[in-house]
Amino acid sequence: MLHPGDAISARRRTIYILLLGALTALGPFTIDLYLPAFPLLESDFQTTAAAIQLTLTGTMIGFAIGQLVVGPLSDKVGRRIPLISVTALHVLASVAAALAPDFILLGTARVFMGIGAAAGGVVAMAIVRDLFGGRRLVVMLSRLALVSGVAPVVAPLLGSALLAVMDWRGIFVVLACYGGAMLVCGLFLIPETLPKERRQDRGSTTVLQRYKSVFSDRVFIGVLVIGGMTFSGLFSYLSASSFLFQQTHGLNAQQYGWLFAANSVGLVIGVQAASRLAARFGPQWVLAFSTSALLLSGLAIILTDQLGLGLWGTVIPLFVFMTSCGFTFPCVQVLALDRHGKAAGTAASVLGACNNGVAAIISPVVFLVAGSGDVTATTMASVMVGCAVLGILSLWLIVRPRTVGMLNP
């Protein structure tokens, strides 16, 4: 038995996937569930679309900061304490957002919601790395990547459905209930997977040592850039999509949500295919394919928009882009975590913080490119193409696939 998880039954692994998947989804749902309400928030607070988008940016910054704190802390004191304490913060912040009387307080509450949602994804990935390694790690992480990839796309669909029966404040009440359910799971259902003796392993006893171990790894740095750029391309689409499809193309909130659901199919296909291909050919070679597809699909969106092909001219290459994101996410996680078992929480936190922090900075560029005009498919895809180019350069100049060995069985 090479790893503790090798002795776990298939039924118990399924339970772990469900619980850890729900934890992982808390972050994306916190970020994206309220996206269909952007036009309503703009109207209620009498502000601009760019200002409303800043609440999304603030959430993602909070999410990044929270992960940088939770990850190293979970390597030092164990997985459960950071999970429980930070998730409790999420519940309180969600209630504050639901009651916010003005835009400033809503934005502040959103930052703390991001911090509070940070524990789920980091702790979930760290627990998986505590228990599994090699090709089984690929399978387990692919399940979490499926959740983290699909959740940002499904969340607006659920948000649209919620807006049909409640106002935007009710969405934050729902998020408070979700956080509360995860808090109960953390208290009673999720075990501690990091034994005390492993918290004192030489080379991982201090935060600085753990950060040094991950940042001295060239491959980790390379996939960190790839993950950040892919997430930034995805969130450039997410932040602009509500205005693009509802205002430019005239879709209502429910139609907009169904469009997101269709894109989620592409993510599912990508993640599931990536888990099999990565185990057979190596995640670095799957990334060689997926990063190229990200670039080509982004260029196709610009081309079809300039040719005036309308809504479907954007949606079809966008589906390819989302599928390529599905291929990318699990491969990035595997290459990042497989090499750092003793600092899994730190590695997961850096990966998550980079994904969300960089995306928080880059996604508003869509609105800067649009200027005073409406958001178009071209302005959105221009940012997506730039992110894809940087990801490709990182893969071939920093990771260098030919230098990365195959996964252990």
Side-chain angles (χ1 to χ4, degrees):
M1 186 177 68
L2 296 176
H3 305 281
D6 294 340
I8 295 177
S9 66
R11 179 177 177 274
R12 191 177 174 192
R13 284 200 300 270
T14 301
I15 294 174
Y16 274 140
I17 289 171
L18 293 175
L19 287 176
L20 298 179
L23 272 175
T24 301
L26 179 61
F29 270 80
T30 295
I31 293 171
D32 300 324
L33 193 65
Y34 81 132
L35 288 181
F38 271 18
L40 296 176
L41 290 166
E42 182 182 357
S43 175
D44 281 3
F45 289 114
Q46 296 295 300
T47 186
T48 65
I52 295 300
Q53 200 278 336
L54 287 177
T55 65
L56 177 62
T57 299
T59 309
M60 293 167 67
I61 290 174
F63 197 57
I65 293 172
Q67 289 179 93
L68 290 175
V69 173
V70 169
L73 187 62
S74 73
D75 283 334
K76 187 66 177 177
V77 303
R79 311 305 185 196
R80 295 184 76 249
I81 293 176
L83 173 65
I84 292 168
S85 57
V86 178
T87 304
L89 174 64
H90 175 274
V91 176
L92 296 175
S94 298
V95 173
L99 300 175
D102 57 53
F103 178 72
I104 299 298
L105 290 178
L106 174 64
T108 302
R110 288 294 294 169
V111 173
F112 283 100
M113 285 180 70
I115 295 173
V122 170
V123 171
M125 281 196 288
I127 288 175
V128 169
R129 185 60 188 89
D130 289 341
L131 297 175
F132 304 100
R135 294 181 180 177
R136 183 160 281 170
L137 176 65
V138 175
V139 174
M140 295 297 290
L141 284 179
S142 72
R143 302 297 183 264
L144 295 187
L146 176 62
V147 173
S148 60
V150 171
V153 183
V154 173
L157 172 63
L158 297 180
S160 299
L162 291 173
L163 286 175
V165 297
M166 61 182 67
D167 64 7
W168 62 265
R169 295 182 185 275
I171 289 178
F172 295 116
V173 174
V174 171
L175 285 171
C177 294
Y178 186 178
M182 292 300 96
L183 182 60
V184 171
C185 289
L187 286 169
F188 300 107
L189 298 178
I190 297 176
E192 180 58 68
T193 59
L194 186 66
K196 290 183 178 180
E197 58 271 17
R198 284 184 56 195
R199 302 172 203 173
Q200 303 300 323
D201 280 351
R202 186 177 180 181
S204 61
T205 56
T206 70
V207 171
L208 289 178
Q209 287 173 324
R210 289 190 290 273
Y211 275 123
K212 182 180 178 180
S213 71
V214 297
F215 281 113
S216 60
D217 180 2
R218 169 182 55 81
V219 174
F220 181 87
I221 295 297
V223 297
L224 196 65
V225 175
I226 296 170
M229 289 302 102
T230 304
F231 229 72
S232 296
L234 173 63
F235 273 90
S236 296
Y237 157 58
L238 292 177
S239 64
S241 61
S242 180
F243 301 103
L244 174 64
F245 292 119
Q246 292 190 70
Q247 294 182 352
T248 302
H249 290 292
L251 300 183
N252 60 35
Q254 284 67 45
Q255 291 169 329
Y256 166 75
W258 282 112
L259 180 64
F260 267 81
N263 281 328
S264 69
V265 175
L267 272 167
V268 171
I269 293 171
V271 169
Q272 293 305 301
S275 66
R276 291 170 171 79
L277 293 174
R280 182 175 180 182
F281 299 106
Q284 67 273 27
W285 297 112
V286 177
L287 287 176
F289 160 79
S290 65
T291 52
S292 299
L294 288 170
L295 175 60
L296 293 175
S297 56
L299 290 171
I301 292 173
I302 295 175
L303 178 62
T304 55
D305 186 48
Q306 293 302 306
L307 292 175
L309 298 183
L311 176 64
W312 287 105
T314 299
V315 169
I316 292 174
L318 183 59
F319 181 86
V320 178
F321 183 89
M322 300 299 286
T323 303
S324 303
C325 288
F327 274 97
T328 303
F329 291 139
C331 296
V332 165
Q333 291 177 356
V334 169
L335 286 176
L337 295 182
D338 189 55
R339 305 163 68 89
H340 298 285
K342 291 184 179 180
T346 301
S349 71
V350 172
L351 184 62
C354 178
N355 286 349
N356 290 276
V358 173
I361 296 171
I362 292 179
S363 58
V365 174
V366 175
F367 295 90
L368 296 178
V369 174
S372 58
D374 292 335
V375 173
T376 66
T378 296
T379 56
M380 176 187 72
S382 296
V383 178
M384 294 158 63
V385 166
C387 293
V389 169
L390 292 176
I392 290 172
L393 291 175
S394 178
L395 176 67
W396 293 105
L397 298 180
I398 301 177
V399 176
R400 302 200 295 272
R402 292 183 179 86
T403 67
V404 179
M406 297 296 291
L407 295 173
N408 293 323

